[in-house]
Amino acid sequence: MELRRCSAGEAVSSAAVGSAEAVSSEAVGSAVDSSAAVGSAVTGKLRVYLGAAPGVGKTYAMLAEGRRLRDGGLDVVVGLVETYGRRGTEEQLADLPVVPRRRVPYRGIELTELDLDALLARRPALALVDELAHTNVPGSRNPKRWQDVQDLLDAGIDVATTLNIQHLESLNDVVEQITGIVQREKIPDEVVRAADRIELVDLSPDALRTRMAQGDVYAADQVDVALDNYFRAGNLGALRELALLWLADRVEEELADYRARHGIRAPWETKERIVVALNGAPQGEHLIRRGARTATRVHGVLIGVHVRADDGTLQREPPALAGQRVLLRELHGTYVEITGDDVAGALVDFARTESATQILLGPTSRSRLRELVSGSVINRVIRLAGPIDVRVLPPPGPDLLALPRGPRPRRPAFVTARRRRFGWLLGPLGAVAVASALSPLRVSLGPSGALLCLLLVVAGVARLGGLAPAAATTVVSALAADWFFTTPWHSLVVERAADAGVLAVFLVVAGIISHLIDGLARRSQQATRARAEAQALARLAGESVQDGERALPELLEGLRLAFGLFAAGILARDGTGWRPDATAGGPLPGRPQDAAFAAELDPDTVLVLAGPTLSEENTRLLGPFVTQLRLLRELQRVTAQAASAQAIARTDALHTTLLEAVAHDLREPLAGIKASASSLCSDDVDWPPEDVRRFSAIIDAEADRLNRMVANLLDLSRLQAGRVPVTLRPTDVADVLVAAVGSLPLAGAPVVLDLPEGLPPVEADAGLLERALANVLANAQTWSPSGAPVRVDAGAVADRVDVRVVDHGPGIGDRQREHLFEPFHRSRRGAGGRVAGVGLGLTVAKGFTEAMGGELTVESTPGGGTTFVFGLRRAVAASPG
């Protein structure tokens, strides 16, 4: 089976369907090589054009490929195609031969279906059959169209067909959850999996909605309903992702089959597959979590593997393995158990079979002796893995709470264990070898000369392995000198007193030299470590001053690790006691006097360190660091003051803007009220009744306008202070909308409510929701052209209810949308060119909606205008009883 995705660039010609999309002439490629090849096939080949939703261009793509193959000499016939009046599709169908449809009477009307018998009799090389999931009219040969297609394939006829992703049986419930629409026509996944070629005809949600708005998919009277329901941008994005994932899964199956047929064992890094080796050790959970984080970042696959020894014995499962299986399932991983006498070989073979790209191993729990006898599993996995990455993770950090609280001796090792072992091995053997090599010269060298040469050996061992191997080498050297260079020869008996004195002096001098060399080397190492620690601490302190408070935890952690401490932190004065202000590690002393080291940073904070007693050198080293830490605390204090000053400045600016807005916008309604009231109160003019009613209407409208402005100002102040009381309860959207519309001025644009029956209640505060809806409706009235109504519709989608307020005004540009919900934003002008309101209505609406746990977004209305969408949480039905 071959699977391809047709991108937007391959799809539709703009001359044919405007901004629509379909597959180019390369969509099927060599799907049908020649009519002779088709004629000789036992069964026909099936090609499926798969789409995420109606209107992406599947039928157009199928017809375009059929025309290309027809022009190449292939016998292509249209069995059945639904054009739905789409101009581009009809143009592609124009000159292709079509088998007339079969007419089927059903319940007093006549319907048309695919004429399967005529198509079988015609026996074309390729039949084009639209809508594979279609249900046939009762009385047809087969209940489903995909069964008709199967009959054509069995007759040796190739078939090209179309299908939307929502009709696949395995995705039917997921599509219903996303769109809220039940798909009655379903097709088994196996039918589509058996296709020889599947092509995804892909179109972005925005492009498809543009096609819808332009009338290229549905009739004009169906566009608004479709865009507000099934063809929402979120729905289309989710359906597109489903189609891509389903197709990717099929590609993966085909790839695995191809590699098996061709015996390809080397991993192909088409997708990250991470194998975690589990042996039941406690650190397995750490490995699983690390692997899951990596798999999540790269959208990969996580597989946990446990290898059982294949030695014929009954083995108990490690206790931690059951919990690790549960953790794998929680992290969307897979658990696999295999057997093998070679753990490393079985693990690598499994990784190759799964095309793994990474193997995660934990630290070994084997002893050195067992590794020496049985070998290292980790080293063997690394040797066998080849191109597979092998990562050996360190064990998780120790529980610092379990560490001893008392002082711990800190005598840093002067030499490594490896050098010490070499010193113990080479020192005594070297002394014996040198004495033996010099023994032929015993007469000329004498004991003194030989011991001087052996002193070089002792000095070398002291530098290589330290004081202990040098001491042992000194003793062996004295015994070797006695054996080879004092009389009687080859005996440990010393015959002359002078020789005994020389040996004694050698032991003393060799011991002194060994001690001095060891001390000098140790001091050199300490100086090097101190210099490195000083550089590290200086770098940490410098970075902390630059990065401010964010770097404080990293700074304390670096300090703790540099000096091998249990904990490092800052205690702040809290009345008569102390409280931790920042910590790294633990436990932290509760008082400065309980710490191994304490330094005052300012009158109210103290740096405390917990752990072994610090040496004098380390204490001196901490001095400059404490100074830097004091600078950091001072920087934090100044930064906090600056942030407070900025907040005050922003508040002042807001108050200034508010006063300016109030001074300008409140004056106009007050002026209208004052003028109308003064006219009514005037005794100079006897106003006719119609003028009195006009003045009264002006006073009423301007008073309502003034009331809304003041209410919005108060609401904004409550939102900014975080004092909006919210009482959530199941609320009927229709009731709230009726109340919101009733609060609007009568002179505004009419509001049309288009609410479906059975709309579920929402979780909301009725008062806040009414105010939010009223503000948005008033905004829509302001910008709607004369005579154009404001439409309100609603619909349930999964666990929420969307309420849409639609106007057909001038619309909102992309730049204006970024600031649309900001206070005092008034970028557009209403009727007469004046700016309406103080620019707070949308700000308050968004604040109230979010306070109830919903969201308020804005979209462009197809054909021009603006649509505000309230996304509200669906109320949870109360349990009976």
Side-chain angles (χ1 to χ4, degrees), residues 13-308:
S13 93
S14 58
V17 286
S19 61
E21 185 171 12
V23 178
S24 71
S25 60
E26 299 301 324
V28 179
S30 57
V32 183
D33 297 322
S34 65
S35 57
V38 174
S40 62
V42 177
T43 59
K45 295 181 179 180
L46 176 63
R47 283 162 294 282
V48 178
Y49 291 86
L50 183 67
V56 297
K58 304 178 300 298
T59 305
Y60 183 97
M62 179 182 69
L63 292 173
E65 183 60 20
R67 291 170 61 88
R68 188 187 72 83
L69 295 174
R70 189 276 313 270
D71 294 342
L74 194 69
D75 184 15
V76 179
V77 170
V78 175
L80 186 145
V81 163
E82 301 288 356
T83 65
Y84 297 106
R86 298 168 188 167
R87 180 170 55 87
T89 306
E90 292 175 348
E91 290 176 354
Q92 290 294 325
L93 181 63
D95 57 348
L96 285 173
V98 180
V99 173
R101 301 190 186 192
R102 181 171 58 89
R103 298 186 178 276
V104 182
Y106 179 69
R107 293 185 178 180
I109 60 175
E110 194 174 58
L111 302 176
T112 61
E113 286 290 356
L114 172 70
D115 194 338
L116 180 60
D117 294 331
L119 203 55
L120 289 171
R122 173 69 168 72
R123 293 194 62 83
L126 175 64
L128 307 182
V129 180
D130 209 3
E131 297 185 355
L132 184 62
H134 172 76
T135 300
N136 291 331
V137 176
S140 301
R141 177 194 289 192
N142 296 309
K144 294 287 187 177
R145 184 166 293 166
W146 65 264
Q147 296 171 323
D148 294 340
V149 168
Q150 189 61 52
D151 289 345
L152 292 173
L153 297 174
D154 292 342
I157 301 172
D158 286 4
V159 177
T161 187
T162 63
L163 179 71
N164 285 324
I165 194 72
Q166 66 262 29
H167 296 299
L168 288 170
E169 180 73 47
S170 64
L171 302 178
N172 188 261
D173 57 339
V174 182
V175 174
E176 179 182 352
Q177 182 181 4
I178 293 171
T179 63
I181 298 175
V182 180
Q183 296 292 338
R184 302 298 182 188
E185 295 184 329
K186 295 175 286 187
I187 183 172
D189 287 42
E190 291 74 16
V191 175
V192 187
R193 284 196 184 99
D196 298 276
R197 174 173 292 182
I198 300 176
E199 302 217 10
L200 180 65
V201 184
D202 188 29
L203 195 64
S204 68
D206 289 342
L208 181 53
R209 285 173 60 85
T210 300
R211 286 198 65 199
M212 294 282 298
Q214 293 173 346
D216 293 333
V217 179
Y218 290 155
D221 58 344
Q222 300 175 339
V223 170
D224 286 346
V225 176
L227 289 175
D228 291 347
N229 292 278
Y230 190 88
F231 287 85
R232 288 189 178 99
N235 290 358
L236 295 177
L239 293 173
R240 188 188 191 199
E241 183 178 12
L242 277 179
L244 291 170
L245 291 175
W246 190 90
L247 191 64
D249 192 31
R250 304 287 75 74
V251 171
E252 187 173 343
E253 292 178 0
E254 183 68 15
L255 181 61
D257 181 62
Y258 175 85
R259 296 177 72 245
R261 290 198 311 269
H262 292 80
I264 300 173
R265 293 177 55 83
W268 286 359
E269 297 187 16
T270 55
K271 187 175 186 180
E272 287 289 334
R273 290 176 174 83
I274 302 169
V275 171
V276 179
L278 303 174
N279 59 1
Q283 61 264 29
E285 293 188 0
H286 174 62
L287 293 178
I288 293 171
R289 290 190 175 94
R290 285 288 298 272
R293 288 197 295 270
T294 303
T296 300
R297 283 195 298 269
V298 300
H299 304 286
V301 177
L302 177 66
I303 307 172
V305 181
H306 175 62
V307 182
R308 285 187 177 273

Side-chain angles (χ1 to χ4, degrees), residues 521-590:
R522 195 178 299 277
R523 291 289 186 273
S524 175
Q525 183 201 34
Q526 290 174 350
T528 302
R529 181 184 292 112
R531 185 167 57 252
E533 289 174 349
Q535 293 173 351
L537 292 175
R539 183 176 63 255
L540 286 172
E543 292 175 353
S544 68
V545 172
Q546 293 176 2
D547 296 341
E549 188 174 358
R550 293 181 304 172
L552 189 58
E554 288 84 356
L555 178 65
L556 293 174
E557 180 66 16
L559 175 64
R560 185 184 70 84
L561 295 176
F563 289 97
L565 303 169
F566 304 154
I570 296 176
L571 295 179
R573 198 180 300 277
D574 187 11
T576 58
W578 298 88
R579 59 174 176 80
D581 189 48
T583 61
L588 194 69

Side-chain angles (χ1 to χ4, degrees), residues 443-778:
V443 177
S444 58
L445 282 177
S448 301
L451 289 172
L452 188 61
C453 294
L454 291 171
L455 189 60
L456 292 175
V457 177
V458 173
V461 172
R463 184 66 185 89
L464 174 65
L467 186 60
T473 303
T474 299
V475 174
V476 172
S477 297
L479 295 175
D482 181 20
W483 182 273
F484 288 107
F485 293 97
T486 63
T487 57
W489 318 116
H490 305 128
S491 171
L492 297 180
V493 177
V494 181
E495 193 174 63
R496 294 187 304 168
D499 292 340
V502 170
L503 290 174
V505 171
F506 169 78
L507 290 172
V508 173
V509 172
I512 293 172
I513 291 176
S514 299
H515 181 72
L516 290 175
I517 292 175
D518 178 76
L520 289 173
R522 195 178 299 277
R523 291 289 186 273
S524 175
Q525 183 201 34
Q526 290 174 350
T528 302
R529 181 184 292 112
R531 185 167 57 252
E533 289 174 349
Q535 293 173 351
L537 292 175
R539 183 176 63 255
L540 286 172
E543 292 175 353
S544 68
V545 172
Q546 293 176 2
D547 296 341
E549 188 174 358
R550 293 181 304 172
L552 189 58
E554 288 84 356
L555 178 65
L556 293 174
E557 180 66 16
L559 175 64
R560 185 184 70 84
L561 295 176
F563 289 97
L565 303 169
F566 304 154
I570 296 176
L571 295 179
R573 198 180 300 277
D574 187 11
T576 58
W578 298 88
R579 59 174 176 80
D581 189 48
T583 61
L588 194 69
R591 303 179 304 170
Q593 52 266 38
D594 297 335
F597 176 89
E600 184 180 283
L601 302 179
D602 57 49
D604 294 323
T605 56
V606 177
L607 170 68
V608 293
L609 306 178
T613 304
L614 297 177
S615 65
E616 184 180 352
E617 292 84 0
N618 288 337
T619 303
R620 285 198 301 268
L621 184 62
L622 278 171
F625 177 75
V626 172
T627 302
Q628 294 283 3
L629 197 54
R630 288 170 180 160
L631 292 175
L632 173 61
R633 296 293 296 184
E634 181 65 19
L635 177 63
Q636 291 175 346
R637 185 182 65 81
V638 173
T639 303
Q641 291 178 349
S644 177
Q646 290 177 356
I648 295 173
R650 286 194 298 268
T651 303
D652 290 342
L654 180 62
H655 290 164
T656 302
T657 306
L658 178 60
L659 289 174
E660 292 176 353
V662 168
H664 178 273
D665 291 286
L666 297 187
R667 185 181 296 115
E668 186 176 347
L670 286 174
I673 293 173
K674 174 64 176 175
S676 299
S678 299
S679 299
L680 290 174
C681 294
S682 175
D683 296 331
D684 298 335
V685 180
D686 187 13
W687 300 105
E690 60 270 16
D691 287 339
V692 172
R693 286 193 295 272
R694 181 169 57 85
F695 288 142
S696 300
I698 292 174
I699 293 173
D700 182 66
E702 294 297 337
D704 287 341
R705 179 181 169 194
L706 186 62
N707 182 60
R708 286 195 300 273
M709 291 183 185
V710 174
N712 283 333
L713 289 171
L714 294 176
D715 290 339
L716 178 64
S717 65
R718 287 193 298 160
L719 284 171
Q720 291 181 335
R723 297 177 180 175
V724 178
V726 181
T727 304
L728 299 179
R729 56 172 58 95
T731 303
D732 190 298
V733 174
D735 293 343
V736 176
L737 276 169
V738 170
V741 173
S743 67
L744 299 175
L746 297 177
V751 178
V752 178
L753 300 183
D754 183 12
L755 306 180
E757 295 183 1
L759 188 67
V762 299
E763 197 77 16
D765 184 304
L768 298 183
L769 181 58
E770 179 186 340
R771 291 294 307 279
L773 287 168
N775 282 355
V776 174
L777 286 168

